[in-house]
Amino acid sequence: MMGIPEHWRIDGETRVVGIIGDPVSHSLSPPMHNAAFAHYGMNWCYLPFPVSPSLLPDAIRGLRALGVVGVNVTIPHKEPVLPLLDEVEEEAKMIGAVNTIHIVEGKCLGYNTDVSGFREALRSEARFVPTGRRVAVLGAGGGARAVCAAVAREGAEEVIILNRTLARARRLADDLARLFPQVRFFFLPLEGKQVKELLPSCDLVVQATSLGMKGEGSPLQDPTVFHEGMVVVDLVYHPPETPFLRMARERGAKTVNGLSMLVYQGARSFEIWTGRPAPIAVMKQVVGLWAHQREE
Ligand code: NAP
């Protein structure tokens, strides 16, 4: 009899992980993790689960009931999911955002792998170390929390948080100032003349709003804030070059998209769920191929 092709292999032993978010259809995590499982010949499967905010508690109960091993958590659930979990690791609790859940003996354990993912991406793609530097972060959601914590932990001197909803930026600045008293945190609205004055003096600018995901929109309209010698990161990776990143590149800044962070945060999630080292080269290859296809 013919052998069963590898891609038909889902059976009664298959272990299931996935991603919950709204939306999730853009996510590259399914192909990236499924390639990693295939690389090791593991009978595991990674699935996208679209979950609207009102159904988040039901989704978490459902994951427990269905014996799912774990999930990544993406926009907009990284902060609201915290009170629904049984235990949250210190780092995730500190920054108030979870992007990885591991379900062990029916208990939901929360982690944040975005912090280490961002740090590794910055090092590997831009050779940038935030120690003593001035950093601007656009956005104040779960992704921005991880970025602020990563640069503060590495000894950034000053972090300016810009957000559409000022109260949210203030809350983030207050939370982090308590955790990292040696770092100066400021918050500003996204619009306004202070942006034009302050941004050019930053060494690193990170775009952590969800704008640009559909290839349109940028939280900043003025290209003159960017210049050579500045590192500019966009957490958004779909499309690989957002309008924001293009504007920064055209002004001579060193630009980094969200693909590298995606790989490194995913690698740590893989390790939490499986207990095995992640095949980072394979995961990079998958996201690289995808980005290449998009550009064609
Ligand atoms: P989130 O918690 O829902 O926060 C969304 C942020 O975007 C908030 O600051 C929000 O501002 C802002 N925003 C949304 N629509 C806006 C608009 N029209 N104008 C201005 N600001 C707007 O989401 P998140 O989890 O932080 O994710 C943010 C982005 O980062 C997503 O695209 C996500 O895919 C990406 N991300 C990528 C990685 C990676 O590995 N590459 C990791 C983490 C996140 P308000 O507070 O005013 O609503």
Side-chain angles (χ1 to χ4, degrees):
M1 205 179 101
M2 235 171 54
I4 295 175
E6 197 61 28
H7 57 280
W8 288 2
R9 196 175 131 176
I10 290 178
D11 59 23
E13 301 285 322
T14 303
R15 311 206 68 196
V16 177
V17 287
I19 180 164
I20 57 170
D22 184 17
V24 285
S25 55
H26 69 286
S27 178
L28 252 194
S29 292
M32 181 175 78
H33 281 279
N34 286 320
F37 296 141
H39 173 77
Y40 282 138
M42 294 166 73
N43 187 4
W44 286 55
C45 173
Y46 187 110
L47 298 170
F49 298 114
V51 174
S52 65
S54 64
L55 291 176
L56 184 63
D58 289 343
I60 298 296
R61 275 194 295 275
L63 295 172
R64 277 197 192 93
L66 293 170
V68 169
V69 175
V71 285
N72 283 129
V73 181
T74 188
I75 178 175
H77 303 318
K78 286 180 186 183
E79 296 169 69
V81 83
L82 252 87
L84 304 173
L85 305 178
D86 298 297
E87 284 172 37
V88 178
E89 72 159 356
E90 211 45 49
E91 178 138 272
K93 204 185 293 172
M94 255 171 44
I95 62 174
V98 158
N99 81 323
T100 302
I101 299 174
H102 188 198
I103 301 161
V104 181
E105 293 168 4
K107 280 198 165 160
C108 286
L109 316 179
Y111 299 85
N112 191 306
T113 73
D114 281 336
V115 179
S116 59
F118 181 74
R119 188 186 59 225
E120 291 307 312
L122 208 50
R123 278 193 190 152
S124 69
E125 299 297 310
R127 312 228 172 283
F128 184 91
V129 179
T131 317
R133 304 299 194 97
R134 194 171 207 207
V135 180
V137 179
L138 314 179
R145 281 189 169 259
V147 169
C148 290
V151 297
R153 172 151 296 167
E154 298 253 300
E157 191 176 295
E158 202 167 280
V159 180
I160 306 166
I161 301 163
L162 303 107
N163 198 44
R164 177 180 60 178
T165 309
L166 197 58
R168 202 172 178 192
R170 179 201 301 264
R171 201 166 62 237
L172 175 53
D174 288 350
D175 287 353
L176 289 172
R178 271 194 297 276
L179 293 170
F180 302 99
Q182 73 285 9
V183 182
R184 287 199 300 273
F185 288 95
F186 298 98
F187 59 92
L188 290 175
L190 264 176
E191 312 282 344
K193 73 174 180 20
Q194 275 170 302
V195 175
K196 198 175 167 63
E197 285 163 13
L198 287 174
L199 244 67
S201 65
C202 291
D203 306 294
L204 171 68
V205 178
V206 184
Q207 195 308 99
T209 77
S210 40
L211 278 176
M213 277 171 82
K214 295 181 184 107
E216 57 196 28
S218 163
L220 290 183
Q221 307 302 331
D222 178 4
T224 64
V225 297
F226 302 115
H227 54 76
E228 228 175 289
M230 187 184 245
V231 174
V232 178
V233 183
D234 198 329
L235 297 202
V236 173
Y237 61 79
H238 182 179
E241 189 177 62
T242 57
F244 172 84
L245 220 49
R246 187 177 327 118
M247 200 158 68
R249 178 176 56 75
E250 285 171 356
R251 291 279 300 168
K254 162 83 185 151
T255 57
V256 178
N257 67 18
L259 287 168
S260 182
M261 176 175 175
L262 177 80
V263 168
Y264 286 106
Q265 61 78 31
R268 193 172 157 233
S269 302
F270 181 98
E271 289 166 7
I272 289 168
W273 297 324
T274 68
R276 301 177 77 152
I280 289 181
V282 172
M283 295 164 87
K284 275 192 171 165
Q285 196 186 3
V286 172
V287 302
L289 280 174
W290 174 87
H292 185 67
Q293 250 176 29
R294 288 264 145 189
E295 277 165 7
E296 276 175 355

